[in-house]
Amino acid sequence: MNFNIQQILDFLSELAWNNNTEWFHTHRAEYDEARATFIAFTQEYIHRLTAIEPSFKELQPKDCIWRINRDIRFSADKSPYKNHFGAFPAPPKPGLPSSTGGKKSDRGGYYIHLQPGACMFAAGIWGPTPDLLTALRREIYANYEEVEQFMGTKAWKRYFGQDFDSYAGWDLKTMPAGFDKDFKHPEWLRHKAFTVSYFITDEQACAPDFMDTLMDMSRAAQPLNKFLNFTFEEYGEFPKPIEKRR
């Protein structure tokens, strides 16, 4: 199935230069067409993800796609609209409706970002609460061999390199309290988020096989999400003692 990603990028490019309500309302039909394409694209992506993430079966595009309107209440930038489309398929809380998944989920998922010149795929957990961050660090500390294993695969190295993403000025400069300074991978525990990402060219995003490429990246990242989400499944509340997996 082919999707007109170029039309989405063209609309977003124009919006970036004309980010005001008057222009947007005048070009509402173009936005509606671009959004409809992105919804259909996200639906197909979720459908394909169910092959590796069965819990996504009931997930809907509306659960995963953010509104284009910006929250400008506390921002110096008063531009009313985002200049990108984003969707985050992620698992819902067990036993609860699919609406608790996607963009509302605090679990590891898959993020697709369409923006002219800045398209991106990402996976993992960004911005965890302090308790969850501590739990994830403990899980990595106790089971680092498993992380080494999936980071060592060809698929992982092809897209994500040798580490989680780093965020300048946000990662810790020293080992967090409570962890052995001699840990084999201290850089992993200094992160405040556990994500990986791959930047996509506009040409790749508009190619007929883009969905296949996106799924290839998703399969490479799936072991990370599985590892991170184990923390929720096993421990539920945070923080709790985390022991080496049997």
Side-chain angles (χ1 to χ4, degrees):
M1 185 180 297
N2 292 326
F3 301 92
N4 191 355
I5 302 300
Q6 186 64 61
Q7 190 268 336
I8 294 176
L9 297 179
D10 288 345
F11 170 79
L12 292 172
S13 181
E14 290 292 322
L15 177 61
W17 285 100
N18 302 277
N19 202 323
N20 60 78
T21 55
E22 182 179 358
W23 183 91
F24 189 86
H25 291 158
T26 302
H27 294 80
R28 181 75 195 202
E30 297 169 39
Y31 165 69
D32 289 341
E33 183 180 354
R35 179 172 172 79
T37 298
F38 190 62
I39 290 172
F41 176 88
T42 303
Q43 179 68 72
E44 177 65 15
Y45 183 38
I46 294 171
H47 173 69
R48 295 204 191 186
L49 279 172
T50 58
I52 60 174
E53 298 283 3
S55 64
F56 288 13
K57 185 177 180 181
E58 303 300 325
L59 206 59
Q60 299 296 318
K62 63 181 177 62
D63 303 323
C64 306
I65 297 174
W66 280 274
R67 298 171 67 242
I68 199 168
N69 302 77
R70 295 181 64 248
D71 184 351
I72 60 175
R73 292 174 298 172
F74 309 106
S75 175
D77 179 4
K78 298 304 181 182
S79 302
Y81 306 108
K82 300 168 187 172
N83 58 359
H84 64 270
F85 282 174
F88 183 59
K93 295 180 180 179
L96 294 180
S98 65
S99 58
T100 65
K103 60 192 176 187
K104 294 182 180 179
S105 180
D106 47 9
R107 288 158 171 74
Y110 307 84
Y111 177 64
I112 180 65
H113 181 101
L114 294 184
Q115 179 181 351
C119 297
M120 179 183 68
F121 166 83
I125 294 177
W126 187 90
T129 62
D131 286 348
L132 175 55
L133 178 58
T134 296
L136 293 171
R137 283 172 172 160
R138 290 178 178 176
E139 190 67 29
I140 291 170
Y141 183 85
N143 299 282
Y144 70 87
E145 299 99 330
E146 186 174 339
V147 181
E148 287 179 333
Q149 186 174 9
F150 62 70
M151 281 189 174
T153 62
K154 291 182 179 179
W156 178 279
K157 291 180 179 179
R158 178 183 180 186
Y159 294 114
F160 312 128
Q162 301 289 334
D163 192 4
F164 302 105
D165 289 337
S166 292
Y167 297 91
W170 200 32
D171 294 346
L172 298 178
K173 295 182 178 179
T174 60
M175 181 72 83
F179 294 93
D180 187 349
K181 294 182 179 180
D182 293 328
F183 177 57
K184 187 176 179 180
H185 299 285
E187 68 281 4
W188 293 352
L189 302 186
R190 292 199 293 264
H191 294 308
K192 292 185 179 180
F194 297 103
T195 64
V196 292
S197 58
Y198 182 85
F199 288 93
I200 300 163
T201 67
D202 291 3
E203 291 75 17
Q204 286 176 309
C206 295
D209 64 349
F210 178 49
M211 185 66 73
D212 294 334
T213 302
L214 186 58
M215 281 305 303
D216 196 36
M217 290 185 280
S218 302
R219 284 187 288 268
Q222 192 265 348
L224 169 64
N225 282 334
K226 182 179 179 181
F227 181 94
L228 297 175
N229 290 337
F230 177 88
T231 305
F232 292 93
E233 297 163 7
E234 186 71 6
Y235 302 103
E237 301 294 332
F238 306 101
K240 285 186 176 182
I242 293 182
E243 300 177 351
K244 191 173 182 66
R245 299 181 190 178
R246 301 298 183 218

